[in-house]
DNA sequence: TCAATACGTTGGCCGGACCAACGTTGGTTG
DNA sequence: CAACCAACGTTGGTCCGGCCAACGTATTGA
């Protein structure tokens, strides 16, 4: 049989995008499992964490900061507000906007979730030394930076 | 929260899992766009590439090799077979199995898609030097290895 | 022989990401 | 001032990847 392996000697398993995808998928699974204990999902954590760090913001702003679509922000904020982790109030200065603020309960939850995330992180990076973790972070950051501004 | 962060937005944007997720997401978008030109998706490529490299296999085997669920393999193989890129034949030696073989057209398509993938790869890794790409690949492979043998 | 396992298949669910459209409100410009 | 365009929140979808439960058929092994 003319088993002429094209130009991919070792196939998928060495393709950077494949490796990225797989490791990211694994990381996401770890996070997702952690979040499940809080009965929340990734979107909720991103929003909560951003609110805890950067303070109140409009939904559109939140979406931009978290990389979440406006329409998806609506639903997630609904959930968070329904749990009292967040408050949605009309912006008197601009009646198109809602100002979203984190509540004390929300701050607590954010802190707990951050701990969960940190555990997942440690688990994920277990096989890497400190230097290697730094390397990885640097490389990924470079990639992200390069591609996010075009 | 103690602000141990310099001026760079702390929080999410430095979390390895976040960086992984974002870069992987970007890579997936690049690939997806490339695949769209072939009117196929990621699953199709994985299957086609695996068949081209490793030869015929049962659907269950394919699923295991590609990391695709049996049930999803069915649909994807249906698509590929419907296009004549692949042939599904009952295995005479084990009547539970279907043997999936790639056709000549399939091999061609696999080659073309591989080229597309390589372009996406180059695009993705553009900002990195050869050494850095190697570093990244090595780190990701380490992570994957460690976590895949759970 | 009978139970356990593997296979292909159907049909469903979830999470993340994205898009189009609408009505409302704000800003700009003519 | 009026007209227009842009931004906002919201609704209601689509898509893809990943996963699971269940069924009938076929195979294996105890």
């Amino acid at each position: 049989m003319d088993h002429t392996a094209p130009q991919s000697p070792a196939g998928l398993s060495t393709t950077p995008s494949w490796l990225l995808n797989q490791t990211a998928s694994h990381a996401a699974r770890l996070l997702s499992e952690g979040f499940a204990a809080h009965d929340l999902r990734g979107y909720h954590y991103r929003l909560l964490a951003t609110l805890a760090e950067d303070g109140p913001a409009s939904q559109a702003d939140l979406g931009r900061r978290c990389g979440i679509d406006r329409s998806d922000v609506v639903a997630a904020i609904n959930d968070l507000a329904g749990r009292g982790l967040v408050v949605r109030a009309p912006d008197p200065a601009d009646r198109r906007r809602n100002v979203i603020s984190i509540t004390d309960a929300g701050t607590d939850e954010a802190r707990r979730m951050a701990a969960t995330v940190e555990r997942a992180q440690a688990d994920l990076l277990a096989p890497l030394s400190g230097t290697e973790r730094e390397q990885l972070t640097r490389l990924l950051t470079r990639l992200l930076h390069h591609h996010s501004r075009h």
Side-chain angles (χ1 to χ4, degrees), chain A:
Chain A
M1 38 165 99
D2 50 332
H3 176 257
T4 54
Q7 64 273 34
S8 31
L12 291 182
S13 16
T14 58
T15 324
S17 71
W18 168 261
L19 295 171
L20 264 174
N21 199 350
Q22 291 302 103
T23 52
S25 169
H26 197 82
R29 208 173 52 78
L30 282 177
L31 278 182
S32 182
E33 285 169 2
F35 290 159
H38 302 259
D39 211 47
L40 289 172
R41 291 167 299 133
Y43 277 11
H44 300 125
Y45 171 66
R46 295 198 218 168
L47 291 168
L48 226 42
T50 298
L51 284 168
E53 286 168 17
D54 304 346
S58 74
Q59 298 181 194
D61 257 41
L62 277 176
R64 277 183 290 261
R65 292 192 214 166
C66 302
I68 302 181
D69 190 89
R70 273 150 59 207
S71 60
D72 298 319
V73 171
V74 176
I77 292 295
N78 282 346
D79 297 344
L80 294 175
R83 291 202 185 196
L85 303 177
V86 132
V87 169
R88 184 194 257 125
D91 184 344
D94 184 342
R95 291 180 7 236
R96 292 173 300 180
R97 289 185 166 90
N98 289 333
V99 175
I100 311 298
S101 313
I102 196 167
T103 63
D104 289 354
T107 304
D108 286 359
E109 188 65 66
R111 188 156 25 230
R112 267 169 289 172
M113 293 187 89
T116 296
V117 168
E118 211 155 324
R119 250 176 287 126
Q121 225 66 257
D123 193 349
L124 175 69
L125 300 179
L128 264 45
S129 74
T131 316
E132 288 169 328
R133 297 180 190 200
E134 236 178 70
Q135 263 185 18
L136 182 62
T137 300
R138 238 186 79 264
L139 292 172
L140 293 177
T141 304
R142 289 253 312 277
L143 282 184
L144 217 53
H145 243 80
H146 175 264
H147 285 291
S148 67
R149 35 170 222 90
H150 174 8

